[in-house]
Amino acid sequence: MRRSLALLLLSAALTPGVALGDTAALDVAAPFEIKSPDPVLSGDIFLKMDVMETLVNADANGGLLPGLSDVWTVSDNKLVWRFNIRQGVQFHDGSVLTADAAAMALNWSRTKEGILVRAPISGITAEAEEVVITLTEPFAALPAFLAEYRTGILAPAAYAADGSVTAVIGTGAFKVTRLEPPMTLEAGRFDAYWGGPAKIPAVRYTSVTRAETRALMAESGDAELVVNLDPASVTRLQAVEGLTVQAVSMPRVLLLKMNTGSPFFDTVAERQALSLAIDRAGLAQAVLRYPAAASQMFPPALGGWHDAALPPLVYDIEAAKAAFAASGWLPGVDGILEQDGQRFEVELLTYPDRPELPLTAAVLEQLFREVGIAVTINSTNSSEIPAKHAAGTLQLALLARNFGLVPDPVGTLMQDYAPTGDWGAMGWDNTEFTATVRKMAAEGGSDADKGALAATLHAEMPILPIAWYQQTAAISNTVKGIVIDPYERTFGLKSAEFAE
């Protein structure tokens, strides 16, 4: 009855094509669009929906676990890695997972903008039951890279002759039966799954960009799992009978990216002044509605990367004004800072995919206006951030960055800071920082190495952390076993079941 009423209630609210639930499938609603059957573009969804797997897995703390490879070794010279392929694994088309098939998938990933282009790989081949990856230099982070969704393994039949992906033919507990980008993925239980058949007969993923609509789907029972709730919905759904709202701290950070090569942010003093103008605690409470003010770059969820000894970032409007004045920025007749005839006017780029970003941008506009900075907000496609970075025209950008997509955060640091990266630092180069990141990637890192990197980012502020994220989800009490993973790898669907 509840679902029948929901059909009427939601008919006007849902965008055309949204599939409503039925009693046979567990429905998942999330804001992220399915771009393509290619894991490089949409593998994060395929991984969480248990239709695709990677050679290496990771637990809720980022620790590496066996995946489609049950054991791996590295040569004495650290240049040859061997990943033994788990036996008895079938693809959804009935073909057997072999080292040749896994090597083919990884080689196709290398030709695209996947994570493997950042690794010093000279070749990926198959030898008997092993995938053999040869390096040009030692790279201890390789297993962590092979846990990232863009290295997902699909069957040879999933690829066209040019390497484009035509179908999602994975090895997961569920087999794709319908894929209609950008909104819908349906999958049925794969009884030949190597880990044993799932308890739920089918799953469905629906991309619903409006947070209000997702919350309504949770409230009405048209989705058993709804993720990425907006703060207002969290408060409302906590009072709904039959729902459980969960939140976990995660290694995702709300960041303010600056062009440190511009005259506005080319000194540490200017960047520190900008940081002092941000009321992180007030902003987090007003926008995110939970205490998530970032005191440094890395949140406690990242374990050894978080240094409790670092002095916390603070809000001090008068100190911010004084610091800008000391850097030569003085108020003009209208209160906007000026230096050598140049007004402190900047564009702040962000994107609406995450509803908290435009709201945060609006708050930052007001905070910065108090110290004499004129901000124009441009809420557009997220792709504009790397595009303007590459063009050198980016001034400010507000974004969310997940340091856990590669379970070892050094993977993200390599992409963003060592020394270039179109989502990371812009115009900032620190030779020692880059060398430490590369050393950690090659040899593994000590807590001292992690602390040194955290301290450098804290001192030089090439990017300003604003808030640490929580993942929030509404889960129907009609299911049990759902997992809210801080590293965003799984929903636990392969072990979930409908409650009796």
PDB file of all heavy atoms in Angstrom, residues 388-414:
ATOM      1  N   LYS A 388      39.479  25.339 -16.866  1.00  0.00           N
ATOM      2  CA  LYS A 388      40.034  26.666 -16.600  1.00  0.00           C
ATOM      3  C   LYS A 388      41.400  26.592 -15.927  1.00  0.00           C
ATOM      4  O   LYS A 388      42.227  27.484 -16.097  1.00  0.00           O
ATOM      5  CB  LYS A 388      39.048  27.481 -15.762  1.00  0.00           C
ATOM      6  CG  LYS A 388      37.819  27.918 -16.530  1.00  0.00           C
ATOM      7  CD  LYS A 388      37.107  29.092 -15.864  1.00  0.00           C
ATOM      8  CE  LYS A 388      36.024  29.655 -16.772  1.00  0.00           C
ATOM      9  NZ  LYS A 388      35.453  30.912 -16.267  1.00  0.00           N
ATOM     10  N   HIS A 389      41.617  25.543 -15.170  1.00  0.00           N
ATOM     11  CA  HIS A 389      42.958  25.325 -14.615  1.00  0.00           C
ATOM     12  C   HIS A 389      43.956  25.179 -15.764  1.00  0.00           C
ATOM     13  O   HIS A 389      45.001  25.832 -15.776  1.00  0.00           O
ATOM     14  CB  HIS A 389      42.954  24.069 -13.742  1.00  0.00           C
ATOM     15  CG  HIS A 389      44.278  23.705 -13.144  1.00  0.00           C
ATOM     16  ND1 HIS A 389      44.486  23.625 -11.796  1.00  0.00           N
ATOM     17  CD2 HIS A 389      45.478  23.396 -13.717  1.00  0.00           C
ATOM     18  CE1 HIS A 389      45.748  23.301 -11.555  1.00  0.00           C
ATOM     19  NE2 HIS A 389      46.359  23.146 -12.714  1.00  0.00           N
ATOM     20  N   ALA A 390      43.629  24.293 -16.713  1.00  0.00           N
ATOM     21  CA  ALA A 390      44.535  24.053 -17.838  1.00  0.00           C
ATOM     22  C   ALA A 390      44.761  25.313 -18.661  1.00  0.00           C
ATOM     23  O   ALA A 390      45.866  25.563 -19.167  1.00  0.00           O
ATOM     24  CB  ALA A 390      43.988  22.932 -18.712  1.00  0.00           C
ATOM     25  N   ALA A 391      43.714  26.132 -18.782  1.00  0.00           N
ATOM     26  CA  ALA A 391      43.825  27.365 -19.575  1.00  0.00           C
ATOM     27  C   ALA A 391      44.513  28.486 -18.806  1.00  0.00           C
ATOM     28  O   ALA A 391      44.850  29.525 -19.394  1.00  0.00           O
ATOM     29  CB  ALA A 391      42.437  27.813 -20.019  1.00  0.00           C
ATOM     30  N   GLY A 392      44.688  28.313 -17.504  1.00  0.00           N
ATOM     31  CA  GLY A 392      45.321  29.342 -16.683  1.00  0.00           C
ATOM     32  C   GLY A 392      44.397  30.476 -16.306  1.00  0.00           C
ATOM     33  O   GLY A 392      44.861  31.508 -15.809  1.00  0.00           O
ATOM     34  N   THR A 393      43.084  30.314 -16.505  1.00  0.00           N
ATOM     35  CA  THR A 393      42.135  31.403 -16.250  1.00  0.00           C
ATOM     36  C   THR A 393      41.363  31.238 -14.946  1.00  0.00           C
ATOM     37  O   THR A 393      40.566  32.098 -14.597  1.00  0.00           O
ATOM     38  CB  THR A 393      41.128  31.503 -17.407  1.00  0.00           C
ATOM     39  OG1 THR A 393      40.448  30.249 -17.557  1.00  0.00           O
ATOM     40  CG2 THR A 393      41.847  31.838 -18.713  1.00  0.00           C
ATOM     41  N   LEU A 394      41.588  30.154 -14.235  1.00  0.00           N
ATOM     42  CA  LEU A 394      40.887  29.923 -12.981  1.00  0.00           C
ATOM     43  C   LEU A 394      41.412  30.865 -11.894  1.00  0.00           C
ATOM     44  O   LEU A 394      42.612  31.083 -11.775  1.00  0.00           O
ATOM     45  CB  LEU A 394      41.088  28.478 -12.531  1.00  0.00           C
ATOM     46  CG  LEU A 394      40.299  28.032 -11.305  1.00  0.00           C
ATOM     47  CD1 LEU A 394      38.825  27.942 -11.629  1.00  0.00           C
ATOM     48  CD2 LEU A 394      40.809  26.687 -10.806  1.00  0.00           C
ATOM     49  N   GLN A 395      40.515  31.432 -11.108  1.00  0.00           N
ATOM     50  CA  GLN A 395      40.914  32.276  -9.980  1.00  0.00           C
ATOM     51  C   GLN A 395      40.622  31.593  -8.656  1.00  0.00           C
ATOM     52  O   GLN A 395      41.515  31.421  -7.824  1.00  0.00           O
ATOM     53  CB  GLN A 395      40.197  33.627 -10.067  1.00  0.00           C
ATOM     54  CG  GLN A 395      40.627  34.469 -11.265  1.00  0.00           C
ATOM     55  CD  GLN A 395      39.851  35.770 -11.365  1.00  0.00           C
ATOM     56  OE1 GLN A 395      38.627  35.797 -11.213  1.00  0.00           O
ATOM     57  NE2 GLN A 395      40.560  36.853 -11.626  1.00  0.00           N
ATOM     58  N   LEU A 396      39.374  31.205  -8.440  1.00  0.00           N
ATOM     59  CA  LEU A 396      38.961  30.467  -7.254  1.00  0.00           C
ATOM     60  C   LEU A 396      38.009  29.361  -7.681  1.00  0.00           C
ATOM     61  O   LEU A 396      37.238  29.541  -8.635  1.00  0.00           O
ATOM     62  CB  LEU A 396      38.230  31.369  -6.261  1.00  0.00           C
ATOM     63  CG  LEU A 396      39.019  32.283  -5.325  1.00  0.00           C
ATOM     64  CD1 LEU A 396      38.035  33.136  -4.519  1.00  0.00           C
ATOM     65  CD2 LEU A 396      39.914  31.489  -4.400  1.00  0.00           C
ATOM     66  N   ALA A 397      38.036  28.245  -6.971  1.00  0.00           N
ATOM     67  CA  ALA A 397      37.085  27.174  -7.247  1.00  0.00           C
ATOM     68  C   ALA A 397      36.738  26.485  -5.938  1.00  0.00           C
ATOM     69  O   ALA A 397      37.598  26.252  -5.081  1.00  0.00           O
ATOM     70  CB  ALA A 397      37.652  26.164  -8.234  1.00  0.00           C
ATOM     71  N   LEU A 398      35.480  26.168  -5.796  1.00  0.00           N
ATOM     72  CA  LEU A 398      34.984  25.447  -4.624  1.00  0.00           C
ATOM     73  C   LEU A 398      34.614  24.043  -5.069  1.00  0.00           C
ATOM     74  O   LEU A 398      33.828  23.860  -6.000  1.00  0.00           O
ATOM     75  CB  LEU A 398      33.762  26.159  -4.041  1.00  0.00           C
ATOM     76  CG  LEU A 398      33.184  25.579  -2.758  1.00  0.00           C
ATOM     77  CD1 LEU A 398      34.151  25.772  -1.592  1.00  0.00           C
ATOM     78  CD2 LEU A 398      31.835  26.234  -2.444  1.00  0.00           C
ATOM     79  N   LEU A 399      35.173  23.039  -4.408  1.00  0.00           N
ATOM     80  CA  LEU A 399      34.993  21.665  -4.849  1.00  0.00           C
ATOM     81  C   LEU A 399      35.058  20.702  -3.682  1.00  0.00           C
ATOM     82  O   LEU A 399      35.471  21.066  -2.576  1.00  0.00           O
ATOM     83  CB  LEU A 399      36.056  21.291  -5.883  1.00  0.00           C
ATOM     84  CG  LEU A 399      37.515  21.385  -5.403  1.00  0.00           C
ATOM     85  CD1 LEU A 399      38.208  20.056  -5.543  1.00  0.00           C
ATOM     86  CD2 LEU A 399      38.278  22.458  -6.177  1.00  0.00           C
ATOM     87  N   ALA A 400      34.652  19.472  -3.928  1.00  0.00           N
ATOM     88  CA  ALA A 400      34.791  18.393  -2.956  1.00  0.00           C
ATOM     89  C   ALA A 400      35.780  17.387  -3.522  1.00  0.00           C
ATOM     90  O   ALA A 400      35.677  16.994  -4.682  1.00  0.00           O
ATOM     91  CB  ALA A 400      33.446  17.728  -2.695  1.00  0.00           C
ATOM     92  N   ARG A 401      36.743  16.998  -2.703  1.00  0.00           N
ATOM     93  CA  ARG A 401      37.777  16.060  -3.153  1.00  0.00           C
ATOM     94  C   ARG A 401      37.854  14.884  -2.196  1.00  0.00           C
ATOM     95  O   ARG A 401      37.932  15.068  -0.985  1.00  0.00           O
ATOM     96  CB  ARG A 401      39.126  16.773  -3.205  1.00  0.00           C
ATOM     97  CG  ARG A 401      40.205  16.001  -3.973  1.00  0.00           C
ATOM     98  CD  ARG A 401      39.875  15.925  -5.435  1.00  0.00           C
ATOM     99  NE  ARG A 401      41.004  15.482  -6.246  1.00  0.00           N
ATOM    100  CZ  ARG A 401      40.898  14.646  -7.278  1.00  0.00           C
ATOM    101  NH1 ARG A 401      39.719  14.170  -7.604  1.00  0.00           N
ATOM    102  NH2 ARG A 401      41.947  14.300  -7.980  1.00  0.00           N
ATOM    103  N   ASN A 402      37.833  13.692  -2.747  1.00  0.00           N
ATOM    104  CA  ASN A 402      37.856  12.478  -1.944  1.00  0.00           C
ATOM    105  C   ASN A 402      39.273  11.920  -1.932  1.00  0.00           C
ATOM    106  O   ASN A 402      39.784  11.475  -2.962  1.00  0.00           O
ATOM    107  CB  ASN A 402      36.881  11.445  -2.502  1.00  0.00           C
ATOM    108  CG  ASN A 402      36.676  10.284  -1.566  1.00  0.00           C
ATOM    109  OD1 ASN A 402      37.456  10.062  -0.649  1.00  0.00           O
ATOM    110  ND2 ASN A 402      35.618   9.529  -1.790  1.00  0.00           N
ATOM    111  N   PHE A 403      39.896  11.918  -0.756  1.00  0.00           N
ATOM    112  CA  PHE A 403      41.240  11.377  -0.626  1.00  0.00           C
ATOM    113  C   PHE A 403      41.227   9.857  -0.468  1.00  0.00           C
ATOM    114  O   PHE A 403      42.283   9.259  -0.249  1.00  0.00           O
ATOM    115  CB  PHE A 403      41.956  12.011   0.566  1.00  0.00           C
ATOM    116  CG  PHE A 403      42.370  13.441   0.325  1.00  0.00           C
ATOM    117  CD1 PHE A 403      41.584  14.492   0.759  1.00  0.00           C
ATOM    118  CD2 PHE A 403      43.532  13.732  -0.351  1.00  0.00           C
ATOM    119  CE1 PHE A 403      41.953  15.803   0.530  1.00  0.00           C
ATOM    120  CE2 PHE A 403      43.918  15.042  -0.593  1.00  0.00           C
ATOM    121  CZ  PHE A 403      43.131  16.082  -0.148  1.00  0.00           C
ATOM    122  N   GLY A 404      40.062   9.240  -0.596  1.00  0.00           N
ATOM    123  CA  GLY A 404      39.964   7.805  -0.419  1.00  0.00           C
ATOM    124  C   GLY A 404      39.574   7.040  -1.665  1.00  0.00           C
ATOM    125  O   GLY A 404      39.368   5.834  -1.593  1.00  0.00           O
ATOM    126  N   LEU A 405      39.452   7.703  -2.828  1.00  0.00           N
ATOM    127  CA  LEU A 405      39.124   6.963  -4.042  1.00  0.00           C
ATOM    128  C   LEU A 405      40.204   5.930  -4.332  1.00  0.00           C
ATOM    129  O   LEU A 405      39.921   4.802  -4.725  1.00  0.00           O
ATOM    130  CB  LEU A 405      38.954   7.911  -5.226  1.00  0.00           C
ATOM    131  CG  LEU A 405      37.677   8.752  -5.209  1.00  0.00           C
ATOM    132  CD1 LEU A 405      37.623   9.679  -6.401  1.00  0.00           C
ATOM    133  CD2 LEU A 405      36.444   7.872  -5.164  1.00  0.00           C
ATOM    134  N   VAL A 406      41.462   6.333  -4.188  1.00  0.00           N
ATOM    135  CA  VAL A 406      42.555   5.380  -4.091  1.00  0.00           C
ATOM    136  C   VAL A 406      42.741   5.159  -2.598  1.00  0.00           C
ATOM    137  O   VAL A 406      42.960   6.124  -1.864  1.00  0.00           O
ATOM    138  CB  VAL A 406      43.854   5.929  -4.708  1.00  0.00           C
ATOM    139  CG1 VAL A 406      44.991   4.930  -4.544  1.00  0.00           C
ATOM    140  CG2 VAL A 406      43.646   6.243  -6.182  1.00  0.00           C
ATOM    141  N   PRO A 407      42.625   3.919  -2.091  1.00  0.00           N
ATOM    142  CA  PRO A 407      42.656   3.733  -0.645  1.00  0.00           C
ATOM    143  C   PRO A 407      43.870   4.345   0.046  1.00  0.00           C
ATOM    144  O   PRO A 407      43.788   4.732   1.204  1.00  0.00           O
ATOM    145  CB  PRO A 407      42.628   2.203  -0.504  1.00  0.00           C
ATOM    146  CG  PRO A 407      41.903   1.739  -1.716  1.00  0.00           C
ATOM    147  CD  PRO A 407      42.320   2.677  -2.805  1.00  0.00           C
ATOM    148  N   ASP A 408      44.996   4.434  -0.655  1.00  0.00           N
ATOM    149  CA  ASP A 408      46.156   5.140  -0.125  1.00  0.00           C
ATOM    150  C   ASP A 408      46.067   6.591  -0.599  1.00  0.00           C
ATOM    151  O   ASP A 408      46.128   6.854  -1.799  1.00  0.00           O
ATOM    152  CB  ASP A 408      47.437   4.498  -0.647  1.00  0.00           C
ATOM    153  CG  ASP A 408      48.695   5.102  -0.032  1.00  0.00           C
ATOM    154  OD1 ASP A 408      48.606   6.220   0.526  1.00  0.00           O
ATOM    155  OD2 ASP A 408      49.753   4.477  -0.120  1.00  0.00           O
ATOM    156  N   PRO A 409      45.917   7.582   0.312  1.00  0.00           N
ATOM    157  CA  PRO A 409      45.768   8.981  -0.113  1.00  0.00           C
ATOM    158  C   PRO A 409      46.898   9.496  -0.981  1.00  0.00           C
ATOM    159  O   PRO A 409      46.731  10.504  -1.667  1.00  0.00           O
ATOM    160  CB  PRO A 409      45.715   9.740   1.223  1.00  0.00           C
ATOM    161  CG  PRO A 409      45.179   8.744   2.197  1.00  0.00           C
ATOM    162  CD  PRO A 409      45.766   7.429   1.772  1.00  0.00           C
ATOM    163  N   VAL A 410      48.048   8.821  -0.964  1.00  0.00           N
ATOM    164  CA  VAL A 410      49.146   9.284  -1.810  1.00  0.00           C
ATOM    165  C   VAL A 410      48.734   9.264  -3.280  1.00  0.00           C
ATOM    166  O   VAL A 410      49.261  10.037  -4.098  1.00  0.00           O
ATOM    167  CB  VAL A 410      50.418   8.433  -1.567  1.00  0.00           C
ATOM    168  CG1 VAL A 410      50.313   7.069  -2.218  1.00  0.00           C
ATOM    169  CG2 VAL A 410      51.666   9.161  -2.067  1.00  0.00           C
ATOM    170  N   GLY A 411      47.771   8.416  -3.625  1.00  0.00           N
ATOM    171  CA  GLY A 411      47.300   8.378  -5.006  1.00  0.00           C
ATOM    172  C   GLY A 411      46.663   9.689  -5.423  1.00  0.00           C
ATOM    173  O   GLY A 411      46.903  10.193  -6.531  1.00  0.00           O
ATOM    174  N   THR A 412      45.850  10.275  -4.540  1.00  0.00           N
ATOM    175  CA  THR A 412      45.242  11.571  -4.837  1.00  0.00           C
ATOM    176  C   THR A 412      46.282  12.679  -4.801  1.00  0.00           C
ATOM    177  O   THR A 412      46.260  13.600  -5.628  1.00  0.00           O
ATOM    178  CB  THR A 412      44.113  11.867  -3.831  1.00  0.00           C
ATOM    179  OG1 THR A 412      43.151  10.816  -3.909  1.00  0.00           O
ATOM    180  CG2 THR A 412      43.423  13.188  -4.146  1.00  0.00           C
ATOM    181  N   LEU A 413      47.218  12.603  -3.856  1.00  0.00           N
ATOM    182  CA  LEU A 413      48.267  13.618  -3.778  1.00  0.00           C
ATOM    183  C   LEU A 413      49.117  13.618  -5.047  1.00  0.00           C
ATOM    184  O   LEU A 413      49.534  14.680  -5.523  1.00  0.00           O
ATOM    185  CB  LEU A 413      49.153  13.384  -2.555  1.00  0.00           C
ATOM    186  CG  LEU A 413      48.475  13.577  -1.196  1.00  0.00           C
ATOM    187  CD1 LEU A 413      49.444  13.245  -0.071  1.00  0.00           C
ATOM    188  CD2 LEU A 413      47.964  14.997  -1.046  1.00  0.00           C
ATOM    189  N   MET A 414      49.383  12.448  -5.590  1.00  0.00           N
ATOM    190  CA  MET A 414      50.134  12.383  -6.842  1.00  0.00           C
ATOM    191  C   MET A 414      49.404  13.099  -7.963  1.00  0.00           C
ATOM    192  O   MET A 414      50.005  13.786  -8.788  1.00  0.00           O
ATOM    193  CB  MET A 414      50.367  10.926  -7.242  1.00  0.00           C
ATOM    194  CG  MET A 414      51.465  10.210  -6.490  1.00  0.00           C
ATOM    195  SD  MET A 414      51.739   8.590  -7.215  1.00  0.00           S
ATOM    196  CE  MET A 414      52.366   9.042  -8.835  1.00  0.00           C
TER     197      MET A 414
END
